[in-house]
Amino acid sequence: MRSWIIGACLTVLVSLTAKAQEMVPVSVVLPQERGLAEQLTLSGSLTALHNANLSTRTAGLVAELLVDAGTTVVAGQPLLKLDATLAEHELAQQRAAVYAAEVLQTERLRLVTEAERLTAQQLFPQTELALRRAALAEAQAGLQQAQASLMQQQEIVARHTLTAPFNGVIAERNTDVGEWLALGSPVMQLVSLTPLLLDIRVPQEYYAALSHLRQIEVTADLLPSAKLSARLLATVPVGDSNARSFLVRLEVGDEQHTLLPGTSATATLFFERDDVNVLVVPPDALLRHPDGNFSVFVIRDNLAYRQNVTVGRSSEQGIEILAGLAKSLPVVVRGNETLRDGQTVRIVDSIRPVGAP
């Protein structure tokens, strides 16, 4: 009798042990109902905000080159100087003419002041005072003319020096010392390094959704591990009839100045609409079938049940489930690879969904 009881206990213990071993440990997550989110990835090329072929504002002989290709410059920095010897001589003559006009004006002002004092004492005729005042006005006009000629000549001299119109780097130099430059001849190419722009072609079906753009991330091929922020700078509301797309220009944030114009980059646009709610699960919850369909395992009373689902678009928050899943049942995200329909499970972890409060 005693041996029978011991045998029965051993049988129950073995049965419980086997049943415990059959319980598969899984991690679950509750499906989330949230605003429709979508992402669109497009490639493009980084371009500079300013890219100019510089030329001198007057013809002349190149006397001095102050920069070369690859030189970083700031706005207003001299880049090239032409031979300005004759212009500077003319400038000296204009300065002398201004000085002579100032002396003449000072003398005629003295004569007018003297005549006014004598006239007040009735010791000087009124007609002579009027003549002296006319001579003073003529001297003042002559001084203004001389000053205008001086400023004109100063501008002519200044035009013999080519300066940078904006901050950037010299991408190309097309002249050398001793070369004669005609008016308008391109001598240097100046390219700005910041801000950088990214031009992408957005499909026509997404053009209206740009008003719901929530976030933009840019990955440059020059820095594949870095995620850069960007903002929508401009949209061109004229479509390409061949590609059925619109041009969108983004301004890329590059505080470290590590990107270069002309290199390629990829922009990921994140859209969201608060007026449409969908059911979202993590990508790990989905099991792909050989026929291309998908299913998930849901948990009810510690039992796993396979349910076929219809998936929609993917986003940073997960995969959109269009049909086949109730939001009240947790889905398996870990341990679902070897699960069988109706198998007993043991929940070991409940994972918080991405973006859940």
Side-chain angles (χ1 to χ4, degrees):
M1 184 67 174
R2 182 178 179 181
S3 61
W4 180 84
I5 295 174
I6 294 174
C9 292
L10 289 174
T11 301
V12 172
L13 181 61
V14 170
S15 177
L16 292 175
T17 303
K19 186 175 181 180
Q21 290 176 347
E22 290 177 358
M23 297 177 64
V24 179
V26 295
S27 298
V28 299
V29 65
L30 273 175
Q32 294 293 302
E33 192 175 24
R34 58 187 59 188
L36 178 63
E38 186 177 2
Q39 64 186 48
L40 176 66
T41 301
L42 300 168
S43 298
S45 297
L46 293 169
T47 59
L49 179 61
H50 301 293
N51 187 339
N53 289 319
L54 305 181
S55 59
T56 57
R57 295 182 293 170
T58 188
L61 188 71
V62 178
E64 188 176 0
L65 281 172
L66 305 176
V67 296
D68 204 344
T71 304
T72 301
V73 300
V74 297
Q77 179 177 338
L79 309 177
L80 173 150
K81 289 185 177 181
L82 301 178
D83 183 8
T85 304
L86 294 179
E88 289 174 348
H89 288 331
E90 181 65 24
L91 179 62
Q93 294 178 9
Q94 295 296 338
R95 284 173 177 161
V98 169
Y99 178 72
E102 289 174 345
V103 171
L104 179 60
Q105 176 186 255
T106 301
E107 175 59 19
R108 290 188 175 179
L109 177 60
R110 184 190 66 81
L111 293 175
V112 168
T113 303
E114 180 183 75
E116 290 175 341
R117 178 174 56 82
L118 294 175
T119 302
Q121 300 174 2
Q122 297 183 352
L123 300 175
F124 202 80
Q126 290 287 344
T127 54
E128 185 63 26
L129 175 59
L131 290 174
R132 291 190 179 186
R133 285 176 175 172
L136 174 60
E138 182 182 8
Q140 290 173 336
L143 176 59
Q144 291 177 356
Q145 183 179 7
Q147 289 173 337
S149 298
L150 175 62
M151 288 188 293
Q152 180 180 359
Q153 192 60 34
Q154 287 174 335
E155 176 62 23
I156 292 175
V157 172
R159 292 190 175 205
H160 284 71
T161 300
L162 176 63
T163 59
F166 51 84
N167 298 344
V169 63
I170 302 298
E172 189 176 353
R173 176 172 64 85
N174 303 317
T175 189
D176 211 336
V177 175
E179 183 176 356
W180 178 266
L181 296 180
L183 183 62
S185 299
V187 294
M188 293 180 185
Q189 182 184 9
L190 179 62
V191 180
S192 63
L193 297 179
T194 181
L196 286 180
L197 308 178
L198 178 60
D199 291 340
I200 55 177
R201 306 293 306 191
V202 175
Q204 60 182 5
E205 59 267 24
Y206 285 92
Y207 186 79
L210 289 174
S211 59
H212 303 290
L213 193 60
R214 180 170 56 85
Q215 182 184 356
I216 305 173
E217 284 186 358
V218 172
T219 302
D221 293 344
L222 195 63
L223 297 171
S225 60
K227 296 291 186 181
L228 304 174
S229 61
R231 70 181 184 93
L232 182 63
L233 188 63
T235 59
V236 180
V238 179
D240 185 345
S241 58
N242 295 323
R244 298 293 190 269
S245 61
F246 291 83
L247 175 65
V248 171
R249 172 161 290 180
L250 308 176
E251 181 180 331
V252 182
D254 181 25
E255 298 178 356
Q256 304 299 324
H257 299 171
T258 52
L259 302 182
L260 296 176
T263 57
S264 57
T266 300
T268 302
L269 310 180
F270 296 93
F271 303 91
E272 184 169 359
R273 290 179 55 189
D274 296 331
D275 58 332
V276 179
N277 289 330
V278 295
L279 212 58
V280 177
V281 299
D284 293 338
L286 291 175
L287 298 173
R288 188 180 183 92
H289 299 179
D291 59 0
N293 293 322
F294 293 90
S295 65
V296 298
F297 276 103
V298 299
I299 305 300
R300 186 189 302 114
D301 299 329
N302 291 330
L303 295 178
Y305 296 96
R306 183 188 292 270
Q307 293 188 201
N308 294 326
V309 294
T310 303
V311 302
R313 291 163 289 188
S314 63
S315 71
E316 60 177 350
Q317 300 165 324
I319 306 298
E320 177 185 357
I321 303 299
L322 300 178
L325 182 63
K327 64 179 180 180
S328 59
L329 295 178
V331 297
V332 180
V333 292
R334 293 178 186 170
N336 52 357
E337 299 86 355
T338 59
L339 272 181
R340 299 187 306 274
D341 193 26
Q343 190 171 8
T344 304
V345 298
R346 176 168 51 89
I347 298 176
V348 297
D349 190 15
S350 182
I351 300 175
R352 181 183 297 272
V354 175

